[in-house]
């Protein structure tokens, strides 16, 4: 479980093919201040990955064919910056919202416009996910917990504050870029609870 509050930026160091999947190695000097634990969960651009090796300031994780097909991680190459968050520990403050790291889909950046010292981000989400998005609700975008400022059809709008621009990859987005999205966990469970067989 994660919060959507990015702990540090990392960078893709290496990527290699592994059968139908891939192995991703991330340089993460800030995260490496705490020891790596084999099997721990780390969110990379919002995708929960399992650490299979941690050496020095780098860690590696395997991407399954399913992960490559359903997230934007397939487009990552060496040099790409990524948002990183280690799993939440019991007793730690929940500053964002509950994020599982199980991506629901890939959205496309429509616009990133200057708005005072911040930016206004608009993304186009898959139509089937619009029912989970509510005005002033939460949506996880590339691992970042964001508050929905508006939704028009499949376009979702956010106000990005200067701190988020500098502490995440969101400030470098451009129109057409793919981003991982995860809808609010509570909305998913509410839908299931009200589903009639």
């Amino acid at each position: 479980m994660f919060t959507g509050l990015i702990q540090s930026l990392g960078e893709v160091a290496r990527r290699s093919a592994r059968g139908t999947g891939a192995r991703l190695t991330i340089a993460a000097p800030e995260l490496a201040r705490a020891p790596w634990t084999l099997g721990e969960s780390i969110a990379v651009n919002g995708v929960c990955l399992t650490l299979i090796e941690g050496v020095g300031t780098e860690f590696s994780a395997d991407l399954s064919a399913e992960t490559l097909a359903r997230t934007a991680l397939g487009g990552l190459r060496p040099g790409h910056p990524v948002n990183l968050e280690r799993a939440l520990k019991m007793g730690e403050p929940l500053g964002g919202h509950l994020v599982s790291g199980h991506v629901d889909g890939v959205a496309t950046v429509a616009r990133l416009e200057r708005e005072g010292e911040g930016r206004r981000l608009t993304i186009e989400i898959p139509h089937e996910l619009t029912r989970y998005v509510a005005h002033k609700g939460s949506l996880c975008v590339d691992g970042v917990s964001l508050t929905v400022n508006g939704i028009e059809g499949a376009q979702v709008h956010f106000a990005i504050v200067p701190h988020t621009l500098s502490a995440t990859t969101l400030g470098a987005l451009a129109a057409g870029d793919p981003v991982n999205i995860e809808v609010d966990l509570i909305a998913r469970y509410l839908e299931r609870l009200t589903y009639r067989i």
Side-chain angles (χ1 to χ4, degrees):
M1 191 64 69
F2 306 93
T3 68
L5 296 183
I6 300 307
Q7 294 169 337
S8 76
L9 289 172
E11 185 177 285
V12 177
R14 291 179 298 286
R15 177 193 164 118
S16 57
R18 293 276 194 226
T20 58
R23 178 164 292 175
L24 205 58
T25 300
I26 307 287
E30 288 183 42
L31 277 195
R33 291 177 185 159
W36 302 118
T37 303
L38 185 66
E40 74 171 291
S41 296
I42 299 178
V44 177
N45 279 359
V47 183
C48 178
L49 298 180
T50 302
L51 184 145
I52 58 160
E53 183 179 44
V55 178
T57 60
E58 296 182 345
F59 73 91
S60 298
D62 286 337
L63 309 179
S64 67
E66 174 80 359
T67 300
L68 292 173
R70 296 195 177 268
T71 74
L73 294 190
L76 293 180
R77 297 292 180 265
H80 260 106
V82 288
N83 296 316
L84 301 173
E85 182 186 357
R86 281 182 135 152
L88 182 68
K89 293 180 175 63
M90 291 298 288
E92 288 184 335
L94 180 63
H97 72 281
L98 292 173
V99 175
S100 68
H102 304 158
V103 168
D104 291 298
V106 175
T108 304
V109 174
R111 293 180 298 283
L112 183 67
E113 304 165 304
R114 184 175 295 278
E115 192 172 67
E117 292 183 9
R119 299 287 185 278
R120 182 174 175 82
L121 172 65
T122 302
I123 64 172
E124 184 99 18
I125 69 172
H127 180 73
E128 65 273 14
L129 297 178
T130 58
R131 67 183 182 271
Y132 300 109
V133 181
H135 183 249
K136 298 302 179 187
S138 297
L139 191 67
C140 192
V141 178
D142 263 359
V144 184
S145 174
L146 296 177
T147 301
V148 175
N149 286 135
I151 179 165
E152 301 168 289
Q155 289 205 336
V156 186
H157 307 284
F158 310 93
I160 312 296
V161 298
H163 171 76
T164 303
L165 290 171
S166 64
T168 73
T169 61
L170 298 188
L173 291 175
D177 285 348
V179 288
N180 296 311
I181 60 167
E182 181 184 332
V183 302
D184 187 68
L185 195 61
I186 296 169
R188 261 199 239 139
Y189 281 114
L190 278 173
E191 179 184 54
R192 184 62 184 165
L193 285 169
T194 57
Y195 177 75
R196 293 185 180 181
I197 298 174

